[in-house]
Amino acid sequence: MLSFYLFYSFTGAFSAYPLASVRIMAGIALLIGCYFILKFVLKTYSTRAIQEAIAKSGLLFNTVSFLLYVIGLKKIGMQETEEMVFSYGVLLDRNYPRLIGLLEDPNLYVFYNTIFFTYFLTNMTSWRNKVGFALCMLTTILTFSRGGIIAMLLIILIYIAISNFSEKWRTFTTMGLFFIAAGYIAVFTMKINIIGLLEGRINDFSNDGGSGRFDLWSRAWEYFLEHPVIGIGADNFIEYNKVNYGESLYTHNTLLQILSESGLVGFCLYFIFLLLVLAQLMKRWLMREHVYLLLCFIAFLLQIMSLSLIINEVFLLYLAILSVVLQKEEKLQFIKKQKVKDTQLTVKEAYGNECVINDR
């Protein structure tokens, strides 16, 4: 991770717009500092305490965001407008009342909510966690984020595929109750055609080219072909796009942004970093005890295909949690193995002494 960020920052020395590179370099330095501070703080807590913090934070985050959405929706109503209208926790975007909650972007909301979503999904052994999962599903759907909703649905399917029967049953039961209650409230109480809104949002994909993402991706690919080794420089895509096309927009694809801004060298470093994280997550004991960390990482990978997130505080928070949990679990596994060895040694010594007595 550090190797990638160092090289990515290094490309700014050769960029056409160095001020943009300096800006993201400052952001990288700040977040890396926060990452090590987070690791230091998290090491002082047990794994159980970290999980409790995730659960309580998830409930607070989703509850407050949903309340802000309801307040904002009541204030602006369902007015028809071509412009984006913000009000408390709602964004009226092309007549879709999209939940933004405590953030400013509905797509980023799903990304920030991923760690809570996956934790509640894999730990529905209490009513608190079941309520938390239902809240996460509700807020995710209300964002009308096509990429986010698809990513969360895939995560649910993956979890159902790898879980045991009792976990499958809890998941199906909770989801069934949620959709029945949400559907009744939406259709009969609030008179909202949720299905129609979702269908319209999906159909828009063929008309708006993924909100213009396809054009941005093709431009990123062109910049990469022009500068294949070290790219156009850190955080320079938006500047190139503004000069050449008059649009101050990000790539909306983290991998393509890395490829265009830091070339094959930066892309390979980032890809190796992701592979190393995935290799750690595939450890059997980690998957058994903390499967939410694996599902969360997969969800992040799915979402960075439509978001520009070279630096993101939630992703670094996730990495800090993963690093601390790995260290604690590896230490626990080592202690267990040592106890087994000590027990075996004691048994051998006992049998050895018994043999000596019998010989005498």
Side-chain angles (χ1 to χ4, degrees), residues 10 18 25-26 29 40 47 113 116 124 150 208 214 231 262 266 283 295 316 334 337 345 355:
F10 170 75
M25 287 166 62
F40 176 78
T47 302
N113 205 27
F116 305 134
M124 284 193 287
I150 291 172
D208 61 10
F214 296 158
S262 59
K283 292 180 178 179
L295 295 178
L316 289 177
F334 175 78
K337 289 180 180 179
L345 184 62
C355 291

Side-chain angles (χ1 to χ4, degrees), residues 53-54 89 100 122 138 151 159 169 231 235 244 252 282 310:
I54 292 173
I100 56 175
T122 57
L138 178 62
Y159 177 65
W169 175 252
D235 203 34
N244 296 328
H252 288 287
M282 294 304 292
I310 291 179

Side-chain angles (χ1 to χ4, degrees), residues 169-195:
W169 175 252
R170 282 196 297 266
T171 304
F172 282 125
T173 303
T174 304
M175 290 181 63
L177 292 173
F178 164 77
F179 282 116
I180 292 171
Y184 179 83
I185 294 172
V187 175
F188 297 102
T189 304
M190 301 181 69
K191 308 297 182 182
I192 296 175
N193 186 7
I194 294 292
I195 302 299

Side-chain angles (χ1 to χ4, degrees), residues 43 112 171 275 343 355:
K43 284 180 180 178
Y112 277 62
T171 304
L275 284 179
T343 302
C355 291

Side-chain angles (χ1 to χ4, degrees), residues 65-78 84-93 96-104 106 142 144:
S65 293
F66 181 69
L67 290 175
L68 289 173
Y69 176 78
V70 173
I71 294 170
L73 200 59
K74 285 185 176 181
K75 182 178 180 181
I76 64 174
M78 290 293 291
M84 291 187 177
V85 178
F86 292 86
S87 179
Y88 293 94
V90 65
L91 164 65
L92 195 61
D93 178 16
Y96 293 103
R98 306 182 66 184
L99 182 142
I100 56 175
L102 293 165
L103 304 178
E104 296 180 351
L142 290 175
F144 294 96

Side-chain angles (χ1 to χ4, degrees), residues 25-45:
M25 287 166 62
I28 289 171
L30 178 64
L31 287 182
I32 292 297
C34 291
Y35 167 76
F36 284 110
I37 292 172
L38 280 169
K39 280 189 62 175
F40 176 78
V41 173
L42 289 172
K43 284 180 180 178
T44 62
Y45 293 92

Side-chain angles (χ1 to χ4, degrees), residues 280 283 285-286 322-330:
Q280 294 294 316
K283 292 180 178 179
W285 49 266
L286 188 69
L322 174 61
S323 178
V324 171
V325 171
L326 275 171
Q327 291 176 5
K328 290 181 179 295
E329 291 295 333
E330 285 175 350

Side-chain angles (χ1 to χ4, degrees), residues 4-5 24 107-108 111-112 250-255 257-258 270 300 303-315:
F4 162 71
Y5 280 128
I24 199 167
N107 301 309
L108 283 178
F111 189 86
Y112 277 62
Y250 288 100
T251 319
H252 288 287
N253 186 307
T254 302
L255 298 181
Q257 183 174 350
I258 291 170
Y270 191 76
F300 282 158
Q303 291 176 80
I304 65 173
M305 299 301 179
S306 59
L307 297 172
S308 293
L309 296 170
I310 291 179
I311 56 171
N312 181 268
E313 60 272 20
V314 169
F315 185 57

